[in-house]
Amino acid sequence: MFFKKKKEEAPAPAPAQKKELLYRENIRVNCEPAPKNDVIRSVGQMLADSGYVDQPYVEAMIEREKTFSTFMGSGLALPHGVEAAKKEVKASGIAVMTFPKGIDWDGNEVHVVIGIAGAGEEHLDILSAIAEKMLDETAAKRLAEGDADTVYSILTGKE
């Protein structure tokens, strides 16, 4: 025979599935007002439950808030972990809660809370993309008052 039969090679492992930045199940709309730290723990737990972060990241979000408020203006808060907790981030992702009645965030009224976990330097891109969307007052109002599909569409650009 001119050609030797090749040994059977094991198929290459499938590449790890890249997580979406936002899943519909990580959007909670029309939430009842709650204390700020409870809200931070709720969005943090959504991130942990979805596999974006390990559990210690949730408390790191509370630590961040103690040193620097994540209130961004326009009724928006973007809680995220302290720099030391970066090792707890497994993938970039966000979780959203909306409060039509508003909640107190250190004396500021907040209607939209978006918990953020950014792998590497991605958190800066995520922050700037959200801030850009919130500059559009119509989009900001729709985000605060919309249903989960509206929130998903505004934040992802997908239907």
Side-chain angles (χ1 to χ4, degrees), residues 4 8 51 65 98 119 135 140 148:
K4 287 186 177 180
E8 287 295 316
E65 203 64 38
T98 66
L135 289 175

Side-chain angles (χ1 to χ4, degrees), residues 75-88:
L76 173 69
L78 301 175
H80 52 283
V82 294
E83 192 65 30
K86 285 297 230 179
K87 65 186 182 301
E88 307 298 343

